[in-house]
Amino acid sequence: MDHFIIGTAGHIDHGKTSLVRALTGKDTDTLKEEQERKITIDIGFAFLDDNTTVIDVPGHEKFIKNMVAGVSTIDFVILVIAADDGVMPQTREHLDIIKLLDIKDGMVVVTKSSMVEEDWLELVIEDIKDFVSDSFLADKPVVAVDSISGKNIDIVRETIERAKEKVISKSKNGVFRLPVDRVFISKGHGTVVTGTILSGSTKEGDLLKVQPLDKEVRVRSLESHGKKMDLLKTGDRAAINLHGISKDEINRGDIITTPGYLKPTYMFESNLFLLNSSKELKNRERVRVHAGTSEVLGRVYTLEDSKLFPGEKGLVQIRLEDKLSISIGDRFVIRTYSPQVTIGGGKVITTSVKKIKSSDSERIEMLKDMNKLDPAGFIEKIIFSKNDKGVFLKDLSLEITMELDDTTRFVNELILGKRVLSDGKKDNPFLIEVTVYKKFRESILSSLENFHLTNKHKIGISKSEIKSIACKRSGQNFFDLIIKKMLEEKLIEVEDNIVKRFGFTPKFDKEMETLINKVYNHYDNKGFNSNPPKEIFTQFCNTEKLFYEAISILIQEKKLVKINDNIFLSGSGYEKLIDLLKRKMKENGEIAIKDISDNFNTSRKFSIPILEYLDKNKITRREGDIRVLA
């Protein structure tokens, strides 16, 4: 059976700890100060049975941050209200926090019922029902108990058992995440951390990371409810003995996680809800952010209006003063800096490395969409946000803190739906969102069209040139995938790194056609002994530029081979060179400068650059004064 976590909530001195003692037989006030002052200061733990933990939280307003840490991972809340007091300030704040953390199940327990008259108890219960009427507790049981005598404690237990039966089984898959709520030293064993596992699983020997410290640790041993365990999974209360770290290095609020995931952030975005009881929230207001078992100071930057009003939701970016290990979909609560009062909360839409301005309408609209989407749609938006950078599948998995297998499944769904493009590599494909592809596809087609209009006699443009024009800031993986898809769609042709529109044929006027023929015949006749272009162009045309255009066309048509800026061979001349190379390799396995000079009646001035060209193109490899096949 899956582990079941119960949390108490309620005003100070309303009997939460006494109720937990009545349910479990254990006193959760273990600190000396708690016992002396008879109030709960920190979160306490007790076991109802082998699979059920009860977390007792403090009710005093000074210890609300400990209360948030305690209830952040629970399945079921017991809202405790004393019959002699009724609903009090911390009752209201605790219920607000529970609602903001999206806890779905629970009950109300009215304590100290024997201290009041029956008619007063009825009035209190009616008042409580009215108080919870707009919350998830509206149709939940309200049970009056006496923790000292044990009156109706059995009904509370029965209600808990029914709630446990409705809990959906928790998967052990996913990225391992445990928010630390306690750290201590176990004599003879070392550092131990405790917490409730939010996702994933772990076993003895696993390597994990402590965030935001970014320190690798190894699981030495595992316990749950005081019993040694081989494996712990989502929802389990865990005590993990860690090797490789001291007690002083870990704090409450740190996250123990799968290496590579959950990188700490200084910024995240959310659709923040402001409580009706709050004052209006102004742009850049300083707040306390509570997430999991962490508390970090930060400022709220409103993205749609200059302020947020009570009872409203609004897109915000929260910029933190310290790193926080938080993930997409996590719930958080914000409290005012001073005096400390809970004012709102929400769910993380994305984490960021870049500040968002209210004028960034495209990014804001995307955030609005992401807030409403299913996992596949959400992933699509993340890929879209990468624009001309694209993203590798494994990097995407790390960014959204989703197990690689699950990320792959959703990405494949998007690929099949033609919403995302992939380069098809098995281990770690590169991904582009399809509307981004279409935008850059049109840019490339437009650039090619312009090039062909102004260069009708040229076959096309080099890949590097078209990238610098149409995809200037993109990475090479992005550009290569765009070109690959355009080839598949028969929109372009690429040969020898020259790109042209599909079906394009260069057109030459008679003057250019005559020049091209003359230039070709010159190099074909001269073989390996032609002078540099700048010394001979006047024999053919008026400008060196026009001569080089003719050479460029001949190279694209594979009628000329460029050895270097001064030496060009005709296609037939280059074929003779390769034939000589093959013959020499067959005869004695090598070729030398003298072989080139003797066979083609040329000097070292030509022979050396020709062999260097063969080396550069990995046809040959130099070994001393000779060349062998590469």
Side-chain angles (χ1 to χ4, degrees), residues 358-399:
S358 57
S359 57
D360 190 352
S361 56
E362 185 177 338
R363 176 73 172 160
I364 289 169
E365 285 303 313
M366 188 184 76
L367 287 170
K368 286 180 182 177
D369 290 343
M370 291 169 82
N371 193 44
K372 309 168 191 170
L373 295 169
D374 60 12
F378 180 82
I379 288 171
E380 181 183 9
K381 284 293 180 182
I382 291 286
I383 299 171
F384 171 78
S385 72
K386 303 301 177 184
N387 196 26
D388 61 346
K389 300 296 181 289
V391 65
F392 285 98
L393 177 66
K394 288 182 179 178
D395 291 337
L396 175 67
S397 170
L398 293 175
E399 181 175 340

Side-chain angles (χ1 to χ4, degrees), residues 472-527:
K472 192 173 185 178
R473 290 178 296 198
S474 70
Q476 194 61 45
N477 289 299
F478 178 89
F479 178 72
D480 289 346
L481 180 50
I482 297 286
I483 293 296
K484 179 186 176 185
K485 291 299 176 183
M486 291 181 74
L487 283 167
E488 290 174 3
E489 293 176 4
K490 294 189 175 181
L491 296 170
I492 59 171
E493 296 176 60
V494 179
E495 191 170 353
D496 290 338
N497 283 323
I498 300 298
V499 185
K500 67 173 184 174
R501 284 213 60 162
F502 189 82
F504 175 79
T505 303
K507 297 176 182 177
F508 311 119
D509 55 31
K510 286 188 177 180
E511 184 181 350
M512 177 57 80
E513 195 169 348
T514 301
L515 176 61
I516 290 168
N517 289 332
K518 283 183 179 180
V519 172
Y520 174 76
N521 290 332
H522 166 80
Y523 281 106
D524 197 39
N525 293 330
K526 286 289 183 178

Side-chain angles (χ1 to χ4, degrees), residues 200-254:
S201 62
T202 192
K203 62 185 184 302
E204 187 177 322
D206 278 355
L207 288 177
L208 300 173
K209 271 280 181 83
V210 179
Q211 296 290 11
L213 185 63
D214 198 35
K215 184 163 186 176
E216 193 168 79
V217 293
R218 181 172 56 80
V219 177
R220 184 177 275 159
S221 62
L222 297 167
E223 285 190 9
S224 184
H225 283 206
K227 294 181 180 178
K228 188 173 175 59
M229 305 292 288
D230 294 325
L231 179 140
L232 291 174
K233 67 180 190 318
T234 306
D236 287 346
R237 278 299 300 175
I240 307 179
N241 182 200
L242 297 175
H243 173 76
I245 197 164
S246 68
K247 174 182 177 291
D248 294 338
E249 291 179 275
I250 307 182
N251 299 292
R252 172 180 289 171
D254 288 349

Side-chain angles (χ1 to χ4, degrees), residues 273-287:
F273 173 70
L274 203 61
L275 293 170
N276 287 313
S277 56
S278 170
K279 295 180 180 178
E280 64 184 38
L281 183 70
K282 295 175 183 176
N283 186 41
R284 299 186 73 252
E285 192 157 325
R286 199 177 190 210
V287 297

